[in-house]
Amino acid sequence: MIKKIISRLGVYFLCILSFFPLSVLYVFSAIVYIILYRIFGYRRRVVRENLINALPEKTTEEIKIIEKRFYKYLSDLIFEIIKMNSISEQEIRKRFIFKNKEQVQAYLDKGQSILICSAHYGNWEWGTLGIGLNFSADHYPIYKPLSNPVFDQWFRAVRSKFGNKLIAMRQTLRALQASKGRPNIFSFGNDQAPSKDDSHYWTTFMHQQTSVQLGIEKIAKKTNQPIFYFRVNYIQRGYYTVDCIPLCLKPAETADFEITELHTRILEDIIRAEPAYWLWSHRRWKHKPKNDIN
């Protein structure tokens, strides 16, 4: 009961905070950066280890620079996500611009559903809101529910703005079946680590043996729905663009794991080009293949 009350007070505080303009929230972000990075060192060991292993070509000094840029961006991202509670349609359209979206809309106009693959790079949460605004079809973002039900309920409401219809991972197949007969969009963030039991496919990603989720490939090959990769580009503080890249337009004709390799290689290229904006605090390589002696 006490935990629930504290959670509700926390949500109430976030709602109030969201009404501050972004210019003020970024001042708070600078303070949070000091707290996260300088004082408490939030997951600093995880971030440093991930950066060293993923970017072995970088010097120690270069790694430290990327690390600092990541924590500064992470602090900004926290407040940009909080801002979602009150952000307007007009502001999202101004700050999150989709390029080449006509290619995607052309399929929807023909009554063809599509799949979107993306990653935890840049402000993926604003991207979810932007998809709901920019395309004339029902949008079903696939997400992993939070363990705290109060915060999960708040976050679902925030993410569901502008017509999005969130679907928990375990309900994906049921939602696909229920949405048949009308053009729709299902979007997947495919860079999270599968559970140990679900780690069935391994590949080299950022110089490391990495298990990759197969969900989007399985669904694409079963439905033959075209896949687009939505590449988020950080332009400047609070401003992004998205490149709508055709990843695979005829999934049923692909070989096993071909789609998985395609989106993995795209993400690898994105990270190498601008590494600071990926979620390095995530324990992406916590599982090892069975034949890995380490």
Side-chain angles (χ1 to χ4, degrees), residues 18-64:
S18 76
F19 285 98
F20 284 88
L22 276 167
S23 58
V24 174
L25 293 179
Y26 286 139
V27 174
F28 298 156
S29 170
I31 298 170
V32 168
Y33 162 71
I34 295 172
I35 295 171
L36 288 180
Y37 185 62
R38 300 290 185 184
I39 299 177
F40 290 109
Y42 169 72
R43 290 199 172 187
R44 193 163 170 176
R45 178 183 288 184
V46 173
V47 172
R48 179 68 62 88
E49 182 179 332
N50 283 343
L51 286 170
I52 290 172
N53 292 337
L55 302 168
E57 70 279 6
K58 302 291 186 182
T59 65
T60 300
E61 190 58 36
E62 288 173 325
I63 291 292
K64 289 180 180 179

Side-chain angles (χ1 to χ4, degrees), residues 200-203 212-214 217-218 221 254-265:
H200 303 304
Y201 180 71
W202 295 81
T203 189
V212 185
Q213 295 192 38
L214 298 174
E217 174 166 329
K218 290 179 179 178
K221 295 187 74 168
T254 61
D256 288 347
F257 311 121
E258 181 178 342
I259 292 169
T260 300
E261 283 294 329
L262 283 171
H263 69 67
T264 300
R265 300 285 78 84

Side-chain angles (χ1 to χ4, degrees), residues 118-131:
S118 194
H120 292 83
Y121 185 93
N123 192 332
W124 64 90
E125 296 291 356
W126 280 12
T128 299
L129 297 185
I131 293 171

